[in-house]
Amino acid sequence: DTGVSQDPRHKITKRGQNVTFRCDPISEHNRLYWYRQTLGQGPEFLTYFQNEAQLEKSRLLSDRFSAERPKGSFSTLEIQRTEQGDSAMYLCASSLGVTGARAAFFGQGTRLTVV
Amino acid sequence: KQEVTQIPAALSVPEGENLVLNCSFTDSAIYNLQWFRQDPGKGLTSLLLIQSSQREQTSGRLNASLDKSSGRSTLYIAASQPGDSATYLCAVFPPNSGGSNYKLTFGKGTLLTVNP
């Protein structure tokens, strides 16, 4: 499978614990995006990387959230001291970052439940 | 700030019916628009991408149109089937991005139920 891969698919954690999610983009893609989707809402942009550089962060990304893409390949999203409001689907997408009409492709997401 | 609205929020139809889902956006200076399907608890499946210079795209029983000047897009589904039941999301690409910036703005989606 050469699509965007996310791990784990589901995560249940207790409030106050730290969690980390992983996204493996399509291999030749140099841009990687994280989104968050809460129940009944559309996905909302969190942050994106070009290669290993984090180029933009949404105001939704509080200081408890940190994202990395150490070698410009896979990315991790860590949430520290989780809160119940962090319960959501976390989605990852990747792209080539070149001009042209290319559809955005997303992974299957990681569903986080904070209890 | 771009805002995307989808109407209706939910739609229930009998099998075989043709239907239209609506998407509107406040800033017409978008680059592209993309329709997605989302099954419960799953990720997003791309359905159709409409470039800013196009007015419509077709794939099988799906047809999407785009009217940038009025800030509207529609997704037409012909001869609906129970397997079409899902949430349909539209998303707009930011302007002046050359289509390479996937910082998308999404609507909340339309929950479609097709009854056998």
Side-chain angles (χ1 to χ4, degrees):
Chain A
D1 189 335
T2 58
V4 179
S5 177
Q6 293 189 244
D7 183 73
R9 295 290 306 277
H10 303 275
K11 178 72 176 178
I12 300 175
T13 191
K14 292 184 178 179
R15 187 165 55 93
Q17 297 293 304
N18 300 342
V19 294
T20 300
F21 313 138
R22 175 176 170 132
C23 171
D24 286 89
I26 294 170
S27 60
E28 64 269 26
H29 285 184
N30 61 343
R31 289 191 180 181
L32 186 149
Y33 304 77
W34 284 100
Y35 286 79
R36 180 176 72 183
Q37 183 180 26
T38 54
L39 201 60
Q41 303 295 312
E44 295 176 290
F45 170 81
L46 291 178
T47 187
Y48 94 92
F49 293 82
Q50 179 157 310
N51 301 313
E52 62 274 11
Q54 189 173 17
L55 296 187
E56 188 170 349
K57 294 194 291 186
S58 161
R59 58 179 174 77
L60 295 176
L61 212 65
S62 76
D63 56 7
R64 295 185 298 105
F65 288 69
S66 63
E68 294 182 343
R69 194 181 182 199
K71 296 184 178 179
S73 56
F74 71 91
S75 175
T76 58
L77 178 66
E78 180 183 17
I79 308 175
Q80 296 182 327
R81 305 181 303 281
T82 52
E83 302 173 354
Q84 288 191 322
D86 297 331
S87 295
M89 173 78 87
Y90 291 84
L91 295 160
C92 176
S94 68
S95 76
L96 270 173
V98 296
T99 299
R102 289 175 172 79
F105 291 95
F106 284 75
Q108 288 299 298
T110 294
R111 175 162 297 282
L112 173 67
T113 302
V114 181
V115 297
Chain B
K1 177 189 172 187
Q2 176 74 269
E3 292 183 0
V4 179
T5 302
Q6 292 188 245
I7 294 174
L11 180 63
S12 181
V13 300
E15 182 176 3
E17 192 161 297
N18 302 326
L19 58 99
V20 174
L21 307 181
N22 297 291
C23 172
S24 61
F25 42 94
T26 55
D27 185 349
S28 62
I30 65 169
Y31 196 84
N32 297 331
L33 183 144
Q34 190 166 354
W35 283 91
F36 294 87
R37 169 184 171 140
Q38 187 173 35
D39 293 296
K42 305 291 186 181
L44 306 182
T45 300
S46 176
L47 295 175
L48 289 165
L49 171 72
I50 308 178
Q51 298 178 50
S52 60
S53 59
Q54 297 176 322
R55 293 192 65 83
E56 67 178 273
Q57 277 287 336
T58 298
S59 176
R61 295 182 293 109
L62 305 180
N63 176 277
S65 68
L66 174 63
D67 184 343
K68 281 183 62 178
S69 61
S70 67
R72 294 181 182 181
S73 177
T74 61
L75 179 66
Y76 174 84
I77 303 177
S80 58
Q81 303 170 358
D84 295 330
S85 298
T87 296
Y88 290 80
L89 294 155
C90 76
V92 299
F93 285 61
N96 305 318
S97 62
S100 64
N101 183 344
Y102 290 179
K103 183 185 173 184
L104 307 181
T105 302
F106 284 83
K108 293 183 179 181
T110 294
L111 176 61
L112 174 65
T113 302
V114 181
N115 301 300

